[in-house]
Amino acid sequence: MSQELRTRLYAALDAIELVDPHTHINALAPAATTLADIMGYHYYTELAHSAGMPRERIEEDGLDPKEKVGRLVEYLGSLENTIQSSWLIEMCQVFFGFQDDAITSRNWESLYERAAELMRQPDWADRVLKQSKLEAVFLTNDFDDPLEGFDTSRYVPCLRTDDLVFHLAQPKVRARLERATGISLGNASSLRSAVGKLFEHFIGRGARACAISLPPDFSPERVETTRAKAALGGVLRDGPKSNAEHNRDLSRHLFWMLAEYCVEFKLPFDLMIGVNRNVYAEGVHQGRDLFDSRVSLIQYKQLFNAFPRVMFPISVLASVTNQELVSYSWIFPNVLTNGHWWYSNTPTFIEHDAAARLEAVPRTKQIGYYSDMYKLEFALPKFAMYKRILAKILAERFVIDRSWKEERAVDLGRQVLRGNVDAVFGKF
Amino acid sequence: MSQELRTRLYAALDAIELVDPHTHINALAPAATTLADIMGYHYYTELAHSAGMPRERIEEDGLDPKEKVGRLVEYLGSLENTIQSSWLIEMCQVFFGFQDDAITSRNWESLYERAAELMRQPDWADRVLKQSKLEAVFLTNDFDDPLEGFDTSRYVPCLRTDDLVFHLAQPKVRARLERATGISLGNASSLRSAVGKLFEHFIGRGARACAISLPPDFSPERVETTRAKAALGGVLRDGPKSNAEHNRDLSRHLFWMLAEYCVEFKLPFDLMIGVNRNVYAEGVHQGRDLFDSRVSLIQYKQLFNAFPRVMFPISVLASVTNQELVSYSWIFPNVLTNGHWWYSNTPTFIEHDAAARLEAVPRTKQIGYYSDMYKLEFALPKFAMYKRILAKILAERFVIDRSWKEERAVDLGRQVLRGNVDAVFGKF
Amino acid sequence: MSQELRTRLYAALDAIELVDPHTHINALAPAATTLADIMGYHYYTELAHSAGMPRERIEEDGLDPKEKVGRLVEYLGSLENTIQSSWLIEMCQVFFGFQDDAITSRNWESLYERAAELMRQPDWADRVLKQSKLEAVFLTNDFDDPLEGFDTSRYVPCLRTDDLVFHLAQPKVRARLERATGISLGNASSLRSAVGKLFEHFIGRGARACAISLPPDFSPERVETTRAKAALGGVLRDGPKSNAEHNRDLSRHLFWMLAEYCVEFKLPFDLMIGVNRNVYAEGVHQGRDLFDSRVSLIQYKQLFNAFPRVMFPISVLASVTNQELVSYSWIFPNVLTNGHWWYSNTPTFIEHDAAARLEAVPRTKQIGYYSDMYKLEFALPKFAMYKRILAKILAERFVIDRSWKEERAVDLGRQVLRGNVDAVFGKF
């Protein structure tokens, strides 16, 4: 009974047109051009490396895309249990007509050629979007992105601010900010003006969110003006060598400023909480970051109280933080649950975390899922994974345990999958 | 098979007469008088506020009860996914003959009138108790509660001690203590005498437990006499402005004293561990507290070792602390698991936490559930939720996975639901 | 469907010949001689004590084994819900032909006699191994164990190093080290030589792993030579009273040295992370340790980066640390998941933790289970518990949710149960 019910609910959820509220798509090259763009995704390179592939074999200079795929295929057998592997297989089946259930030394070359052929079609990206039922995808734009050359109603700009908050001590970052805004960073007020210019630029180009990823020890606080000035002065003077207190104060000051601009420009502020960067320094590209699960949303108490008018869609990296996220979202009107991020984006954690949210957070305050993808082909299998789990939760915990009608359960699923994306970020 | 088995086990568990070992019932007004008493429960006001209702609309001075319900109804649609909403619907169906599966602008008024009519019956509270199969409910009494005017075998006093331990610096609290005991708080020995008087009073009125809720950073320790005296002196002199060390020492000293009196008066000491008060200062009444899940029972090591003769039924606020609770209860004879508290009182967390307890803590050391209710009508749907989950765990993990006979599984359920309440707090 | 599928998968997994990669077996007395050896396992004594049995009744000097079992039987009813109780019953059914589903005052004596009779057979240990499908079991050897008098291909030595790293300040431990190696511990270089001698001895006797259990606040770091020398000097001089910094530095120095020898001798280094020793000082033997779940693998960042050639099979004591273990194993080539340890070795935690691993860690990097047993009879019921859970996960999450063929699922199970033990520790 439950299995058929899950299947019916999945089918209904699968018919929904989606907007993907967080990706790393390059709007100027949104789809893959060969399987190397797909299998070069950090999930595969880092898992293959973890399973024994030397980093140099993947990151060799000038490595031919086909050769790269061939090398990765050697390690796919070791990863075939992972859910990341199942994304790859499902994607190949759906988009490239792949018939097998594993990519091996015997079948990869024909798959590679078939994929390359399809990807050469001029409308490949649009086909992928259509087949994935994606109306729009959010981008993750550097603060100095010109945001030009693409349709911003389909590829929606989002102001990513990690560099501003955590790396302004780097001369390169300051130079980028000055170039992007035409403002010289002499003092606190010019810094504020420069950041304001970024918001104007992004809003002018249809940005729907400001976003940032945060380390577990970050604790936002309002910094008094004199401290902020001293911090900025110190950092401008000493660069990356400036002292820890100045760096911390400047990070807090900039973060707070972003929240203030989010009020002014009515932008939601996506917080992605909990990542430690560069833990495994010898890891492959984008496969070096990990986390410390000892983090609490109590660190954000002052922020949530100070900015009642800013919506904070929040992602947490560790599943053990999910209950806090559920509870803070159930109490604070401006805190929302947002997707299942990175190391928590695997079925066991998604199921536990999503069920807890669906039971205790107002249905209007949950953004169910985003793909976090770098290439469009990944939305389909990733959303499919989520929709299967959502169907399971709705079947078991709502239709069976709470006697909900199926239609009502599907409505709830539709709201977290799509409705709330429109409600929070603006109608599409 | 499993579904029918769950239904059978649920039916058997549902036939058990209960004692509710922790509530906030006012013994002089135990049942609701209108639906506003029901929907004014903080779960609904805080969730409605979280979903967008301005606090002022709910907390308006002199707001008419019916008008209050009408306003809350506007937001119920946003909350209908929550388990708290299902408590409300189930209660209305059982007690008020409500036929629909949602309370809406179209049906709420007739429900309101029907409920008010039933609640006007002079024996309404007793009817609710009977229909809920409740023989007795524990109260949460302020230390200066006269405990008069009610049947203490049905409404069982419990000495709540948060004010003593954490707020004695407030002149109002000291004045209440002096008034309640007739003892002037001049020094350490008069403080001890005063607290002793409270215990005598409570024991004389049939109290069965001492209880307290504790913040995540509390770490009980025995404070040496000279330090304790200095702390008391400082707090008596400086009041709420006394220094942090004095405040901490006095809290520890009082907490330790309570444990000593629990030895003397043979009272269990309920510890509810992990709440941060007033995190969201602008929240609705009782909807301002949250938590930091970074807490460990290792903080209670000294206490558990020092008081082998005191039973500590323990509730933890965060599900991530549940494994520690399981392990400490499996090792320490005086540590017991107690219910599923507040932010952990939703099905996903209950299921995970209760299953872990049933597998690893002696069956004699688990108090399955308490309602934490403010009005009697809530025991029925809350216990029903727990019993459904308990039936599921017993079905899947005992009858199916471990080949237990159904009757044996029901016996286990009976013990955690009722038997251990009698064994720990005294026979009813 | 799912139930029959689980049964089929279990049967296939249950046919696999095992190597148990972590136990506390005494190779000179591997099997039990009476039921007192079985029921004297700390799980039963500590749970019985927790349920009310005075420690003195179990630990009485010169207590007759049969009398000891009789006393413990009085408390078994209170523990029958625990999974530890189910190990006992299953073992008695399989090995001793026990027919009932509980050990009670009425049936324990005949069970005791029957077991004793069987255990008197000269080949009892071999029979148990055979019936348990165990080809070999790893030991946990003190660093000064002569490793003589047994077949090291069946009882595989493993160098346990807690004493070296954490208790070298004790004169007794130093004396043991000097006696075992014939090296007088005068300075840093003689210490290094002595530890090297231990490795040579163990390797010469077929050791396959170095192992250690670690408290939650341990954070390995390389200690500079001058600091290390000062620490050693201080500890040699002051013994157990040496200052905290010297103790910590010496622990770190020795731990680092062990990792260096693991490179040289190509030994995996088992880390068992998270235990606090002697939390309940009045507890029964081996029933005094607990934990603080606030621990993070970020504490091991420097270690994992510094020793890319050492394999670190890691056990975590708290299930809330499992996601970090999954993520670190998915990123670091030298980090592996290892079994379900102690307080996490109960079905609810195993299921959650194992599912997360199977979904996200390369299949080559997971050591599914070890028994941690003290007597051979426990491998069978403990592995059976794990195999049932593994069968459930494979059935639900691979065959049903991901459409895997059953055979493929069994292959995955075989690899984590057995294949990876051979791959990581050397072929058996």
Side-chain angles (χ1 to χ4, degrees), chain A residues 139-150:
Chain A
L139 309 176
T140 292
N141 303 97
D142 284 340
F143 66 78
D144 55 343
D145 190 317
L147 305 175
E148 279 165 8
F150 58 88

Side-chain angles (χ1 to χ4, degrees), chain C residues 172-288:
Chain C
K172 247 196 323 199
V173 175
R174 289 213 303 273
R176 286 170 49 206
L177 180 56
E178 297 189 337
R179 208 177 314 123
T181 59
I183 293 175
S184 163
L185 294 184
N187 55 37
S189 94
S190 61
L191 177 61
R192 183 170 295 272
S193 301
V195 174
K197 268 223 155 178
L198 299 179
F199 272 79
E200 280 167 23
H201 171 59
F202 270 75
I203 289 287
R205 293 291 298 155
R208 302 285 186 110
C210 179
I212 191 167
S213 75
L214 300 154
D217 63 354
F218 187 70
S219 189
E221 283 183 23
R222 198 184 160 282
V223 178
E224 285 183 35
T225 310
T226 46
R227 280 185 80 94
K229 284 181 177 169
L232 178 63
V235 168
L236 288 178
R237 189 179 61 239
D238 305 330
K241 288 177 185 156
S242 36
N243 73 45
E245 203 182 338
H246 281 165
N247 264 308
R248 191 202 58 192
D249 284 352
L250 184 59
S251 288
R252 286 176 167 174
H253 175 61
L254 275 158
F255 183 86
W256 210 260
M257 193 190 298
L258 294 174
E260 289 165 343
Y261 276 120
C262 284
V263 177
E264 184 174 334
F265 289 95
K266 298 187 171 50
L267 271 194
F269 195 176
D270 291 345
L271 309 184
M272 313 184 81
I273 294 174
V275 61
N276 287 115
R277 300 290 177 185
N278 215 34
V279 174
Y280 174 37
E282 297 298 311
V284 299
H285 178 59
Q286 297 183 325
R288 294 167 192 155

